[in-house]
Amino acid sequence: MRFERRETRSPILLMGAPLIAVAVALAITGFLIALSGAPVLEAFQKILISAFGSRLAITETLTRATPLIFTGLAVAVAFRAQVWNIGAEGQLYLGALAVAAAGSGGAFGLPPLLLIPFLMVVGALAGMVLLVVPVTLRFRFGVDEVVTTLLLNFIVLLFVSLAIEGFMRDPLAFGWPQSVPVDGDARLPKLVPKSRLHLGLVIAIIAAIVVFLVNRYSVFGMQSRAAGLNAAAARFAGVPISWTLIKVACLSGGLAGLAGAVEVMGVKGHVSTALSPGFGYAGIVVAMLANLNPLGVVAAAIFVAAMFVGADGMSRSLEVPSFIADVTVSLALLTMLVALFLSTYRVVR
Amino acid sequence: MSELVDILFTVGLWSSVLRIATPLIFGTLGALLCERAGVLNLGIEGIMTFGAMVGWLTVYQGGDLWAGVFAAAACGAVFGLLHALMTVNLGLSQHVTGLGVTLFASSLSYYIFRLAVPVQGTPPTVEPFQTYAVPLLSDLPFLGPTLFSQTPLTYLALAVALLLAYVMARTPLGLAVRMTGENPHAAEAQGLNPIGLRIGAICAGSALMGVGGAFLTLAAFNSFFPTMVQGRGWVCIALVVFSTWRPSRALLGAVLFALFDGYQLRLQAHFGKAVPYQLFLMMPYILSIVALVIMSRRARVPQALMKPYRRGER
């Protein structure tokens, strides 16, 4: 058995790849649910109802999808240029911490209309700095950024823990380790009353559209794609590789920082070490399921969020551990890789 | 200040060094073996987590301790095979596949753990490996309690390091694996099978990672809890670079790292009141990054690392 590159990648196969990947992942999930002894079809039905079955469920799913759109975009932008940013989790937390620091205690007396954009810039900048360092280390010292960004996740989480137990501790939190809350003016307005859904979703979708346009129509977008496809050829063609990668790092880190910013300003109001249940790592799955397409990221983020929200609800009524959502999502990443491969190669006997 | 130096010469510190180093030795050797054959295995963090879970679960269900170790190795090899099929046979991105394997292996281990052990106040425990004092040698002053009173898995780790160093440097098999990692086309021209060699190396390396994880639940601690691997896998990937892809130096790197970690833990106990403990916990990760920065320039990376090999394709 051999694999032969297809002459043309059919758009139908390319569009179908994520659907096939998700279907296979769900089939394996069904098998794992059966292992727990729960009725499989009922479990899937419960997942679907918990994720989309009511107005509240839909708003919960979209609330969960909001940071995933940002981290998914962050990963998609980076991977397209072959910058292996696995540190979205750390960038999210640092962005969140920066927002909590700048947005509390008077917040420089800015009016709400200016304060919210200001805080988003602050969060994005924090994420940017955290990614520019490892990317710089890559071309200054040849250090693989996969390992450094991964290790930075642990360092940042410890730093957050240090901050919220120390200099940023909320004295009114009854001893819970959490940061001082951001001011009321810094909170994002709700989209749907009596739900948690906030303006962050709109900002996330706008970000996806902007990234899509930048990718497709700007010189920077072309250069970053060229750097990812073949860095040597791109350099030969006059693309400033280091500078392009720094810009990619700023965009990617900034988007991940924004994920933290909207989580604090839209949902939690403060930072704790429970702010993100792995949004940064799930962003990798989101980006891959979208085949690194910024608009696809929105759809992929909603799927991943629905799995998490749905599995939470399902595990409350059936005795299936909610970790099943993490299994499905990670399986979808692996099956997506294979599906993409099969859309590019054909099997020859 | 002299107390800081005094800690360095306590038996307690040095006997903890080999204990802390053991999972790192297994993990680093495993990752090294994969990379020497030309494949980066970022599945390590998840494979170690799964090894920790399945090793513990085997013993918890009434299995022998060594059966637990074997189960961890076997499951590690299976995840390695998954990684190999995707990166070697299909030639997919080693970065993304590895992360996928890590996410899958760790979430699957949490899921299986929760299925087997419902939520309860304190996590259930097993009777872990006891230290084995080597006759005569353990009576030596200082060396006895530090080197020769360890659990059997630590002795196994040291033995594997020596064995791997010997195989890689002195045997035809080691030469074949190294050649596959440097130039698979040349290896094929020599009548070797680069695809098979890579798959074998990844499975064997991943089995070692699994055992490294099992050490955590069967010797270092006696229970399993999610996120217990705590980035040790990523540290191992950094240690491989530090070791310049040599098993003997991997051993040295793991021991140095463990010395630092053990020292940091004791400083924490000493200064816990004055300095936030998180600063101490950060140290090992920062040290890994510093080591990478220092060593990466000098490192002679296996030339075909992360380059998929397709027969007849240049």
Side-chain angles (χ1 to χ4, degrees):
Chain A
M1 193 171 84
R2 274 184 329 110
F3 301 107
E4 193 179 84
R5 196 176 267 276
R6 291 178 196 270
E7 310 269 297
T8 52
R9 293 178 87 178
S10 103
I12 298 171
L13 273 179
L14 217 52
M15 295 289 281
L19 299 178
I20 296 167
V22 167
V24 174
L26 286 175
I28 302 174
T29 305
F31 172 74
L32 288 169
I33 292 176
L35 272 188
S36 77
V40 177
L41 286 180
E42 196 187 332
F44 277 123
Q45 199 187 2
K46 286 243 157 70
I47 290 178
L48 206 59
I49 290 173
S50 309
F52 297 112
S54 65
R55 207 183 65 134
L56 182 70
I58 294 172
T59 59
E60 269 307 294
T61 300
L62 291 177
T63 309
R64 192 74 86 96
T66 304
L68 287 174
I69 296 176
F70 281 113
T71 54
L73 286 174
V75 174
V77 166
F79 279 20
R80 175 133 281 174
Q82 302 252 1
V83 171
W84 302 107
N85 174 16
I86 321 297
E89 186 79 3
Q91 290 141 25
L92 181 153
Y93 269 108
L94 204 63
L97 201 65
V99 165
S104 57
F108 312 108
L110 287 170
L113 213 58
L114 286 179
L115 180 60
I116 287 174
F118 166 73
L119 288 180
M120 301 201 73
V121 170
V122 167
L125 279 176
M128 258 180 221
V129 171
L130 194 62
L131 184 55
V132 167
V133 172
V135 170
T136 312
L137 287 181
R138 163 165 147 193
F139 42 72
R140 287 280 297 169
F141 301 99
V143 184
D144 188 7
E145 74 276 19
V146 173
V147 189
T148 45
T149 51
L150 274 167
L151 290 169
L152 278 170
N153 288 343
F154 292 88
I155 296 174
V156 169
L157 202 60
L158 284 166
F159 180 70
V160 168
S161 154
L162 186 156
I164 62 181
E165 286 179 22
F167 60 92
M168 279 178 67
R169 182 191 188 91
D170 182 3
L172 304 177
F174 303 106
W176 289 107
Q178 65 183 46
S179 78
V180 284
V182 291
D183 296 346
D185 285 350
R187 298 299 295 266
L188 294 172
K190 293 271 180 275
L191 287 184
V192 178
K194 282 189 253 164
S195 80
R196 299 202 303 162
L197 190 61
H198 54 86
L199 190 66
L201 178 68
V202 179
I203 302 173
I205 292 171
I206 294 173
I209 295 170
V210 170
V211 170
F212 174 78
L213 294 176
V214 165
N215 245 350
R216 176 149 301 185
Y217 297 110
S218 76
V219 176
F220 162 69
M222 193 274 286
Q223 288 181 335
S224 71
R225 263 179 294 144
L229 287 171
N230 188 338
R235 181 175 289 122
F236 192 71
V239 175
I241 294 290
S242 318
W243 183 228
T244 306
L245 294 191
I246 291 278
K247 283 195 276 189
V248 168
C250 285
L251 185 58
S252 172
L255 284 163
L258 277 179
V262 297
E263 248 343 66
V264 169
M265 294 156 70
V267 183
K268 295 278 164 59
H270 58 82
V271 181
S272 74
T273 47
L275 181 73
S276 157
F279 287 135
Y281 300 106
I284 299 168
V285 185
V286 169
M288 290 311 294
L289 274 181
N291 196 13
L292 308 187
N293 180 323
L295 297 181
V297 161
V298 178
I302 292 174
F303 162 71
V304 170
M307 264 326 286
F308 281 117
V309 173
D312 269 350
M314 184 268 293
S315 76
R316 272 195 292 274
S317 50
L318 299 173
E319 295 280 304
V320 181
S322 61
F323 285 121
I324 194 70
D326 301 82
V327 179
T328 314
V329 165
S330 53
L331 265 173
L333 172 58
L334 293 174
T335 52
M336 179 65 187
L337 284 171
V338 177
L340 273 181
F341 175 83
L342 292 176
S343 75
T344 323
Y345 286 83
R346 80 176 65 163
V347 183
V348 192
R349 261 189 22 90
Chain B
M1 261 340 241
S2 70
E3 287 165 359
L4 293 182
V5 182
D6 287 346
I7 294 175
L8 268 179
F9 294 102
T10 53
V11 170
L13 171 65
W14 283 91
S15 62
S16 77
V17 164
L18 274 184
R19 194 173 63 235
I20 299 173
T22 304
L24 299 173
I25 296 173
F26 279 120
T28 309
L29 292 175
L32 184 145
L33 184 55
C34 299
E35 290 187 29
R36 262 290 156 108
V39 179
L40 176 71
N41 190 350
L42 292 181
I44 180 167
E45 181 85 5
I47 294 172
M48 285 179 83
T49 309
F50 201 90
M53 189 283 295
V54 85
W56 180 87
L57 193 62
T58 308
V59 179
Y60 181 67
Q61 304 281 15
D64 182 58
L65 280 168
W66 286 106
V69 173
F70 182 77
C75 289
V78 170
F79 281 110
L81 186 63
L82 175 67
H83 188 65
L85 287 176
M86 294 184 67
T87 56
V88 180
N89 296 62
L90 303 187
L92 296 169
S93 159
Q94 298 179 6
H95 281 125
V96 185
T97 308
L99 290 166
V101 170
T102 279
L103 292 176
F104 177 51
S106 33
S107 53
L108 190 63
S109 46
Y110 304 155
Y111 180 71
I112 295 176
F113 177 70
R114 267 286 156 266
L115 275 189
V117 184
V119 188
Q120 42 188 278
T122 49
T125 57
V126 297
E127 190 60 39
F129 277 107
Q130 300 301 315
T131 55
Y132 172 76
V134 181
L136 297 178
L137 288 174
S138 59
D139 296 332
L140 290 171
F142 196 76
L143 283 182
T146 54
L147 262 183
F148 298 109
S149 304
Q150 299 286 345
T151 60
L153 282 180
T154 302
Y155 302 128
L156 181 66
L158 298 174
V160 170
L162 295 179
L163 180 71
L164 195 64
Y166 174 78
V167 169
M168 291 309 265
R170 301 257 182 255
T171 65
L173 178 65
L175 183 64
V177 170
R178 280 186 288 140
M179 200 170 175
T180 307
E182 298 291 339
N183 189 340
H185 300 282
E188 173 111 59
Q190 291 280 320
L192 298 169
N193 176 1
I195 304 267
L197 280 165
R198 281 188 173 177
I199 296 175
I202 298 170
C203 287
S206 304
L208 288 179
M209 296 169 188
V211 175
F215 175 85
L216 293 175
T217 46
L218 297 182
F221 309 101
N222 55 6
S223 60
F224 175 83
F225 51 92
T227 71
M228 76 181 300
V229 177
Q230 280 291 334
R232 283 185 182 83
W234 311 132
V235 169
C236 290
I237 298 284
L239 282 174
V240 174
V241 178
F242 178 80
S243 76
T244 60
W245 289 269
R246 288 184 197 182
S248 52
R249 290 197 196 165
L251 183 61
L252 179 74
V255 168
L256 274 178
F257 186 91
L259 173 63
F260 185 83
D261 204 19
Y263 190 53
Q264 164 281 111
L265 281 170
R266 279 175 168 68
L267 287 186
Q268 206 176 311
H270 214 262
F271 295 100
K273 294 252 162 30
V275 185
Y277 69 95
Q278 292 97 338
L279 279 182
F280 293 108
L281 291 179
M282 272 183 214
M283 295 292 206
Y285 302 114
I286 295 174
L287 182 76
S288 304
I289 293 181
V290 171
L292 277 176
V293 171
I294 296 171
M295 295 305 290
S296 283
R297 258 212 181 145
R298 267 185 263 169
R300 241 194 46 66
V301 186
Q303 287 299 299
L305 183 62
M306 288 190 267
K307 295 196 178 77
Y309 175 70
R310 289 204 181 87
R311 204 161 277 162
E313 234 178 68
R314 282 266 140 185

